[in-house]
Amino acid sequence: MSVKQIGQFFNPRSVAVIGASNTKGRAGYVVMRNLLQGGFNGPIMPVTPKHNAVHGVLAYASIAALPHPPELAVICTNKNTLEPLIEQLGNIGCYNVVIIAAGLSNTQKVALKNIAHKHNIQLLGPNCLGLLVPHIGLNASFSHTVAEPGKLAFVSQSAAVCSTILDWAQSKRIGFSYFVSVGDCLGIDFDELLDFLGRDAKTKAILLYIDNIDDVRRFISAARAAAFSKPVIVIKTGKTHAGAEAAYIHTGGRTSDDSVYDAMFQRAGMLRVSDLRELFAATQTLALHPKLLQVEQLTILTNGGGPGIMAVDTLLQRSGKLTQLDETTRAALNAVIPQSNMTTNPIDLFGDSSPMRYQKALEILLKAPEVKNLLIIHTPSALAPSEEYAKIIANTLQTIPKMARPFVMTNFMGERAAYAARDICANHSIATYRTPEGAVGAFMHLVSYRRNQKHLTQTPESGSDNSQINSKAARKTIQMLLKEGHSQLSTHLASQVLAQYNIECIDTRVAMTPTEAKEQAIELGFPVALKLLSPSIASKSEVGGVVLNLNDSHEVEQSAFAMLLRIKKAYPDAIIEGFSLQKMAPRAGAQELRIALKTEPNFGPVILLGEAGTGLEFSQAAVAFPPLNMNLAKYLIAAAHDKGVLKERALPDKVDKYRLCDLLTRISQLIIDQPDIDSIELNPILASNGQFLVLDANVTLVPYQPKVGKKRLVIRPYPKDLVKNVTLKNGETVTLRPIRPEDERTHQEFDQSLTKEDRYRRFFGELPQFNHEQLAKMTQIDYDREMAFIVTQPYKSSYRTLGVSRILIEPDNSSAEFAVVVRSQSKGLGLGRILMSAIIDYAAKQGIKTLNGITLPENSGMIELSRKLGFTITRDFEEGTLNMQLKLN
């Protein structure tokens, strides 16, 4: 569904309630009541054969009897009536439908989807609460309360959680731009809502409650696009196996380990909270401070030492930072706090502080230039009643212009004594929390969002030279091994593939018999490791299939015989392919790592990093998705340290993290290039002196079978198949290729090379030079959603950009907008045609139907080129521009 269609769904001019009722307790009764009480201005049309009127509104006996097609229909009948009702709505031209009913079978869901697709109907639900759009007074739900207008959007698969959030938000005076219960996501899904809400000017932050995600690739693309412009916070159920099973029963969909979801949310730039308490805190914080923090430091003002220490401990434990107070600020505070002449952060006013002292300290901090975020903690006492101090805070804040004041949070401790104070804060749009830890946790959500934005826009370093990778040779080897019947590759076979990606494995010999093993050991030199080769046994070390430190040929032969006897007894049907032998690698001073690939349901390949061990589960590893660049690999290593699955060892040589990043990117590229690889296990990998040596490798091959509508990778990798050489009019050969994140520096130089006139023609105004964040968005693109081609030529020791063409694709893939700009000094070489042709060909192959662009009337070169390439040119007299449109496919 397009963003425009979603916008129409949430802005109807008329609503029909199918199954409207006068009987209390029925969904049709509650939905009619909510629509009438919400202030919706359009026609509300109840449909029921049982009543002449519902809630005093004239009713219609059937859908066919409606005077005109409603722009939104809410079906409140039971699940067995849905198919004919959807058919009837489609016949009269109603294209937006909410289904309340729950408990549909898979057969019913398929039938409903088919009917909806036939009539181009957009479905919300089933098993949902409905939707609320407060700014137009629309409450098309069976909620027990209303939602006030606000800046937050909330989307949930759980109707029960929707009701809980609504109830809580009303007490906190928090409003919503949109409040949507998606239920089983039969039609409208999270990705479509993220696309709409990410562009919606009324929405400053987005909150999601998720049980399962169906199309992960579309979700990541939409979430990443939304998170670039506003905070997106998510709570995902099913952290445990039992919880995941319950989520599956509730809303359907396949499940994966929770660590995989964690990795997905991080990759998309979203913030994850663990429970409803954290979600409440995040909701309140974002409602009152939805913008990016200026700084991460927090100032704490308290009238009790203990609560201040609790706040500091929580802040530092979560990697937060305290504000360093200026000498001027400290001197001013010392003058009003007689108990102390060494005031520091946290600022303790002591329990006997008078209201006047409290107000003076607050005024000092609100005006202090270094104080950008302020937490005020208040502990009630007979000398310091909470309500009076809440009024001081509210009144003092009103004396300072909103744009000049810091972000203020409050924590009024206690219960009964704090109610009135919290209510005053809520009425004055001041964030308030029950505990110091809760307040700091909410603040850290904003800090995490700020850090996520930095991570998303950080320019990656260049990794290894791609000339070290021979993907064609690796593919040829894999095809040969599959043809020979190999599906489980041990080190001696896996190394043939890994070597093509410059991944070094220890020299491994293969022996078919104990006697041959003895002879191979003599050639290798002692000591050696002896390992059984058997595709039937996953963990050979656990059944005595691995013997280390064998020091002579007799030991090798005897160990091999004993190994065969043990395996024959324990696994009489096991397939034995022989033995592998390796010279024992010196492990002193080396750290032992483990890197694995697993193919997860719904997610495809994921990369795991941890320390070497007997078993690597998700709980023992950090997780990331391919493709990885150097930055993403660095974050994977940091995540492994944070999770405690990769420890800093007291070794003479620390693990070279730059080279480890490089290794991870090569493994990522191997996964991307070779779809027949289903799993990889490299364990252990000896890391020493900047080198990484794989001692044991296991690779599983499964011939890849593409599935219609299903992509193997959840993130589209760099489309290197689109890289090619082209010839300019002056005979020079240059490179045409998709843009990469690593191009930011050269793209900045290209932007700076444009003349003022060329910048005006491209951007329709005098814009300043692009900053890092803007350049990052131009170079770190989602290849599923957009494409930018650049033409580069060698320049000095690097290269420079001669021109760029860019298309931004609508989420439903129906149309795309394009733009082209050429280096001012490089015009007349045919670059415009090369770049335009590249995006036209790309758009056609993507199935895009219409390519649109805008230019100024004075840009004669672009206008003439567009005409030659088949574009239709029309003038927009109101805007003073020319529209260029090309029909494709």
Side-chain angles (χ1 to χ4, degrees), residues 682-757:
L682 309 180
N683 173 45
I685 304 170
L686 291 189
S688 179
N689 299 317
Q691 303 297 315
F692 297 90
L693 181 65
V694 178
L695 301 190
D696 199 355
N698 285 283
V699 175
T700 303
L701 300 181
V702 177
Y704 177 63
Q705 299 292 334
K707 297 178 182 177
V708 177
K710 180 73 175 176
K711 305 293 186 181
R712 174 174 168 261
L713 301 167
V714 296
I715 299 170
R716 186 180 179 184
Y718 181 75
K720 60 183 181 178
D721 56 305
L722 299 178
V723 179
K724 64 179 180 180
N725 292 329
V726 294
T727 304
L728 303 181
K729 286 183 178 180
N730 63 1
E732 183 181 359
T733 299
V734 293
T735 301
L736 172 72
R737 62 172 174 82
I739 204 165
R740 297 185 306 231
E742 294 85 351
D743 290 321
E744 183 182 330
R745 183 183 59 80
T746 54
H747 207 67
Q748 182 179 38
E749 185 277 329
F750 169 72
D751 176 56
Q752 293 169 349
S753 76
L754 298 176
T755 64
K756 185 181 290 187
E757 179 184 14

Side-chain angles (χ1 to χ4, degrees), residues 834-888:
I834 289 170
L835 290 164
M836 285 282 285
S837 298
I839 57 173
I840 291 170
D841 291 344
Y842 179 80
K845 289 176 182 176
Q846 293 299 113
I848 295 166
K849 297 178 177 64
T850 310
L851 198 56
N852 301 297
I854 303 173
T855 192
L856 295 172
E858 55 264 36
N859 195 351
S860 56
M862 172 58 73
I863 296 166
E864 184 60 26
L865 176 60
S866 297
R867 281 202 177 99
K868 289 180 179 178
L869 292 172
F871 283 81
T872 301
I873 312 294
T874 57
R875 180 181 287 273
D876 187 330
F877 289 99
E878 186 176 339
E879 296 292 334
T881 57
L882 295 178
N883 298 324
M884 303 169 286
Q885 186 175 86
L886 179 65
K887 297 290 186 181
L888 299 169

Side-chain angles (χ1 to χ4, degrees), residues 184-197:
D184 293 348
C185 299
L186 192 61
I188 296 174
D189 211 336
F190 285 104
D191 58 283
E192 295 166 315
L193 290 168
L194 283 166
D195 281 322
F196 170 71
L197 297 171

Side-chain angles (χ1 to χ4, degrees), residues 579-640:
F579 307 91
S580 70
L581 293 101
Q582 300 169 341
K583 189 169 181 178
M584 291 296 298
R587 300 193 179 198
Q591 186 162 354
E592 298 186 16
L593 310 177
R594 189 168 188 174
I595 299 174
L597 156 73
K598 290 189 176 184
T599 300
E600 277 290 288
N602 227 26
F603 286 92
V606 294
I607 298 170
L608 291 82
L609 171 66
E611 291 192 335
T614 56
L616 185 61
E617 300 301 326
F618 284 107
S619 60
Q620 300 170 290
V623 183
F625 295 103
L628 295 180
N629 58 31
M630 293 292 282
N631 270 356
L632 294 169
K634 181 173 67 176
Y635 299 144
L636 175 58
I637 296 168

Side-chain angles (χ1 to χ4, degrees), residues 21-79:
S21 177
N22 284 319
T23 305
K24 289 184 178 181
R26 291 189 177 275
Y29 176 92
V30 178
V31 171
M32 275 297 299
R33 182 200 65 192
N34 287 346
L35 280 167
L36 293 169
Q37 294 179 353
F40 180 68
N41 289 326
I44 299 171
M45 300 175 283
V47 177
T48 173
K50 297 179 180 179
H51 307 285
N52 292 325
V54 177
H55 288 275
V57 178
L58 178 67
Y60 301 90
S62 65
I63 291 170
L66 288 168
H68 57 81
E71 294 195 359
L72 178 68
V74 184
I75 301 179
C76 302
T77 59
N78 71 66
K79 63 182 181 179

